[in-house]
Amino acid sequence: MRLFNGLFCRTLITLGLLLAVTARANAFDLLQLSLQLGEPAVVRGTVTQEKYLRALPQPLVSVGTFVLARDSGLLWFLQDPVQQDHRISAAGIARRTPSGWQQTRQQGPAARQNELFLAVLQGDTEALQRDFELQLTGTAQAWALTLTPRSRLLAQIFSSILIQGGATAERIELSEAQGDSTLLLLTDIQIDDQLGPSEHHDLAD
């Protein structure tokens, strides 16, 4: 009986170790998230932005569409309450004018928000890790990524950022250090393997 109990205990320990290793192997990690978000060549959808300001009782809401090209950048077409087109790429942030795309000089939370938006949608966790501590929970089908600023400078802009999604990012909540916040909801998402002619022109211009 004593021998049986000893073997049984060792079996349980071995089984426990195997389960622990399997759990770690099956855990959804940052590399898998990066690969998952970076896989689609083109992602299109609707974006609703809710800006919550301490001085206002109701959020400022804007609605538009976006086009993300894995190798080129992001087009953000604001449609309501005003029409305004933005392009976010490695070259910076540009705004469409009657004479064509013009680079902007955005600074502070607005500029950082747009840069983060591009990094998040592209699944560039390596870039995000340079500036934030990342904590990922959930599965490939339903995950949540919390970003906490590393530097004092960024901590003066954001207190935290929460990103949630599945095959793509679907919800981004930016909490600013001064108490304001921004919620981005990405809906009607479509995945494609190539850009349309006008989209290609806008990103190549």
Side-chain angles (χ1 to χ4, degrees):
M1 181 64 71
R2 185 175 300 172
L3 177 61
F4 173 79
N5 287 337
L7 289 173
F8 182 67
C9 288
R10 283 198 293 272
T11 301
L12 287 178
I13 292 172
T14 303
L15 180 59
L17 290 172
L18 287 172
L19 288 174
V21 171
T22 302
R24 285 196 296 271
N26 292 335
F28 186 59
D29 60 22
L30 290 173
L31 176 58
Q32 290 171 308
L33 175 62
S34 181
L35 292 173
Q36 178 169 300
L37 294 182
E39 182 178 356
V42 178
V43 179
R44 299 182 184 87
T46 299
V47 56
T48 302
Q49 175 177 281
E50 300 177 1
K51 181 71 176 179
Y52 294 85
L53 303 175
R54 291 168 298 163
L56 298 177
Q58 299 294 328
L60 301 175
V61 180
S62 58
V63 179
T65 60
F66 72 91
V67 179
L68 172 70
R70 180 180 57 204
D71 301 321
S72 305
L74 172 71
L75 296 172
W76 191 341
F77 304 123
L78 183 63
Q79 298 169 342
D80 185 68
V82 296
Q83 289 193 347
Q84 198 172 89
D85 296 347
H86 287 89
R87 181 181 65 197
I88 308 169
S89 66
I93 303 170
R95 179 177 173 182
R96 195 197 302 272
T97 69
S99 58
W101 290 101
Q102 298 291 328
Q103 293 295 114
T104 67
R105 297 183 179 274
Q106 283 188 334
Q107 296 179 344
R112 200 68 180 110
Q113 174 183 316
N114 288 334
E115 293 167 359
L116 286 169
F117 192 39
L118 178 58
V120 167
L121 292 180
Q122 289 182 326
D124 193 350
T125 56
E126 183 177 343
L128 294 174
Q129 281 182 302
R130 287 196 291 266
D131 295 324
F132 298 91
E133 295 283 351
L134 306 185
Q135 181 179 6
L136 177 65
T137 59
T139 66
Q141 293 75 35
W143 51 266
L145 180 65
T146 302
L147 285 65
T148 305
R150 290 181 183 272
S151 69
R152 182 176 300 178
L153 179 61
L154 271 176
Q156 292 175 353
I157 302 175
F158 301 110
S159 59
S160 66
I161 299 171
L162 174 63
I163 307 152
Q164 297 169 293
T168 64
E170 299 170 357
R171 186 181 187 275
I172 305 171
E173 185 176 358
L174 304 101
S175 300
E176 297 178 21
Q178 303 303 315
D180 298 337
S181 64
T182 302
L183 177 61
L184 298 168
L185 300 174
L186 312 179
T187 57
D188 303 324
I189 294 175
Q190 299 177 352
I191 294 175
D192 202 347
D193 57 1
Q194 61 182 355
L195 292 166
S198 63
E199 297 166 348
H200 185 274
H201 179 270
D202 283 336
L203 286 168
D205 187 7

